[in-house]
Amino acid sequence: MTRPSTSTSTSTSGSTSGSTYASGAARASVAVAELDLDGPDGPVLSLGPAPGGPPLGEGDIYALVRLRGRPAATVYCRVGAGEDPAEVLSAAFRARHDPGRYTPSAAEPSAVDPPAEPHAPPRTTVVVGTRERAGQLARALDSLLAQDHPDFRVLVVDNAPVTSATRDLVASRYAGRVDYVHEPRTGLALAHNRGLAEADGAVVAFTDDDVIADPHWLTALTAPFAADPGLGCVTGLILPARLTTPAQILLESHGGFAKGLEPRLYDPARPPADEPLFPFTAGSFGSGANMAFRAEALRAVGGFDPATGTGTPARGGDDLYAFVRVLSAGHRLRYTPWALVWHHHRETWRDLEDQAYGYGAGLTAYLTAILVRRPALLPALLAKLPRGLAHARAITAHRPAGEAEPAHGAHGARSYPWPRGLSRLERRGMLYGPLGYAKARRRISGDGGRT
């Protein structure tokens, strides 16, 4: 969960104003593109999957570079008048990366070709939780139905709707291709748990209604489960669908939702040496818009905590909670950048303020949830708490222009200053998180639901 999107607003007194922010960050739109270096006649540059951005040509371009069909890197360039954008981006990639490093290996299934038996991707249910966003939901569903996975089902969970728009959309446009269920209680974790209960696949994948999934996404995300019986969770790469507002550009310049372009395996039996807080730094594992679980493993740990996540007073943390619970049960977690979705970042300064506050709140809410539900983990957390506080301060620090985010950097995007007002909001959110979790538990208990 890297500055996850939230829908609940919060007080922003004392934060940087939108006008102040706009004076320090980019004002122009950035074109989002894909660069295939293996075109028959040389590199092929195309616009990204989302319409409405600036055209390719003179100006700023943010591009995903593919080699042998796989995401290999992201590059950011300013293309001058009369320059060929494909040539400029290709040169920038080759100046920073060795193309020979990007070769398929037996350790990771190809995101392009279906893996050979016995590692065919398992039957999967794709769960999309949504609430009153039928327009963008249709865009996401179109991309999900275009997946090359051989055996999957798409399930829309309509979370506490106030209109029939989502139900009508599924019935009229996707009848027979997409299943619909209604979850009357508000909260993304509750929607995900309803999807988990309804899932009929060995694997259950989750994504959001504001993404466009790459056609190879689901195959790349789920094939690792067939290759590794000890795998409990797989997460994937999230890149920006559009960069048309200063808020979107600022967020992506500090890492956005991406976790890098290198695959990684997290094994509780072999804690990573470079993450001394493991497994409590769950934000480095992935994000809820792009994750899949072995269904039996997720059910065995009780699914998602319903008092976490968007739509609750806790504001977030449902994905992080699930990651840690699955890892603490002894399962491995794999991050694979070849499982790609394009995310529509929130567009306004107020949205970014909400994200900052919600990120902080969700972070400490999920830690509270872990300790409430798994108190046996308290000694391990306390032992790592001093370094955890230093880590929390580092990830919310005001960073000067050009300084990369500590965990993952800007992965090819131009860096702009992270405003102090947003850092303060993240820290305020961290202070609020445990209280928000307690409020959410009381609300669910009052509604007669399990906590």
Side-chain angles (χ1 to χ4, degrees):
M1 183 182 71
T2 304
R3 298 185 178 87
S5 60
T6 58
S7 59
T8 308
S9 63
T10 183
S11 171
T12 58
S13 58
S15 62
T16 306
S17 69
S19 59
T20 301
Y21 157 64
S23 68
R27 295 185 179 87
S29 294
V30 175
V32 175
E34 294 190 70
L35 179 66
D36 183 357
L37 293 183
D38 301 314
D41 300 314
V44 177
L45 183 66
S46 60
L47 277 170
L56 298 175
E58 182 180 357
D60 294 342
I61 300 178
Y62 172 93
L64 169 68
V65 180
R66 292 183 185 266
L67 271 172
R68 289 170 285 279
R70 289 181 166 187
T74 57
V75 293
Y76 173 95
C77 286
R78 175 159 290 174
V79 178
E83 292 183 314
D84 183 335
E87 291 182 359
V88 173
L89 290 164
S90 298
F93 168 76
R94 296 183 187 282
R96 302 169 191 165
H97 303 277
D98 174 13
R101 292 180 61 243
Y102 302 95
T103 57
S105 70
E108 292 284 342
S110 171
V112 179
D113 300 319
E117 296 293 343
H119 300 319
R123 165 75 174 172
T124 300
T125 300
V126 182
V127 176
V128 186
T130 188
R131 187 171 192 267
E132 300 301 334
R133 300 204 292 192
Q136 62 185 25
L137 173 64
R139 180 180 60 201
L141 293 178
D142 288 342
S143 72
L144 293 175
L145 291 173
Q147 294 297 300
D148 63 5
H149 191 287
D151 187 15
F152 71 99
R153 167 194 179 205
V154 178
L155 176 65
V156 169
V157 182
D158 200 1
N159 187 212
V162 296
T163 72
S164 64
T166 298
R167 181 191 295 270
D168 295 343
L169 171 72
V170 174
S172 63
R173 184 166 168 177
Y174 301 102
R177 298 186 295 160
V178 173
D179 294 327
Y180 171 95
V181 294
H182 170 249
E183 170 51 56
R185 297 171 297 168
T186 304
L188 185 57
L190 284 163
H192 283 170
N193 281 340
R194 179 62 185 275
L196 177 63
E198 299 281 345
D200 63 354
V203 171
V204 56
F206 298 90
T207 191
D208 291 345
D209 59 11
D210 54 1
V211 308
I212 297 174
D214 181 82
H216 313 299
W217 166 71
L218 194 59
T219 296
L221 190 69
T222 60
F225 289 102
D228 181 358
L231 202 59
C233 179
V234 178
T235 62
L237 177 64
I238 303 174
L239 293 181
R242 296 175 63 188
L243 293 172
T244 56
T245 71
Q248 292 174 330
I249 294 169
L250 177 65
L251 177 63
E252 196 60 33
S253 81
H254 287 276
F257 292 80
K259 308 301 175 187
L261 274 295
E262 294 288 338
R264 183 145 191 192
L265 179 67
Y266 295 93
D267 188 343
R270 300 174 181 82
D274 62 339
E275 293 200 14
L277 302 177
F278 178 87
F280 300 109
T281 49
S284 63
F285 304 151
S287 296
N290 191 353
M291 60 184 182
F293 296 85
R294 196 177 300 277
E296 63 180 6
L298 185 56
R299 290 183 180 123
V301 300
F304 299 87
D305 186 323
T308 60
T310 301
T312 73
R315 301 292 301 272
D318 53 316
D319 49 354
L320 306 187
Y321 172 86
F323 297 154
V324 174
R325 289 291 280 116
V326 168
L327 281 164
S328 63
H331 302 283
R332 290 184 283 275
L333 183 152
R334 180 176 292 279
Y335 170 74
T336 175
W338 300 307
L340 167 66
V341 300
W342 302 86
H343 180 262
H344 285 80
H345 297 347
R346 301 298 179 88
E347 296 182 354
T348 70
W349 171 252
R350 179 59 181 268
D351 291 334
L352 199 55
E353 290 179 319
D354 288 346
Q355 284 181 306
Y357 186 86
Y359 170 68
L363 183 65
T364 52
Y366 109 80
L367 288 171
T368 305
I370 287 290
L371 296 181
V372 168
R373 293 182 172 272
R374 283 295 307 275
L377 293 175
L378 179 59
L381 179 60
L382 289 177
K384 299 175 180 182
L385 189 60
R387 298 185 74 171
L389 293 175
H391 173 77
R393 182 170 182 80
I395 62 177
T396 63
H398 173 77
R399 294 179 289 275
E403 183 178 339
E405 189 173 43
H408 300 286
H411 58 83
R414 170 175 292 185
S415 184
Y416 296 96
W418 188 252
R420 288 186 174 87
L422 293 182
S423 296
R424 287 194 296 268
L425 281 170
E426 288 183 25
R427 291 171 184 155
R428 284 172 51 192
M430 287 180 182
L431 293 175
Y432 166 79
L435 176 61
Y437 178 72
K439 288 181 177 179
R441 283 179 63 88
R442 285 197 300 269
R443 188 178 75 179
I444 292 172
S445 297
D447 291 340
R450 292 181 58 195
T451 60

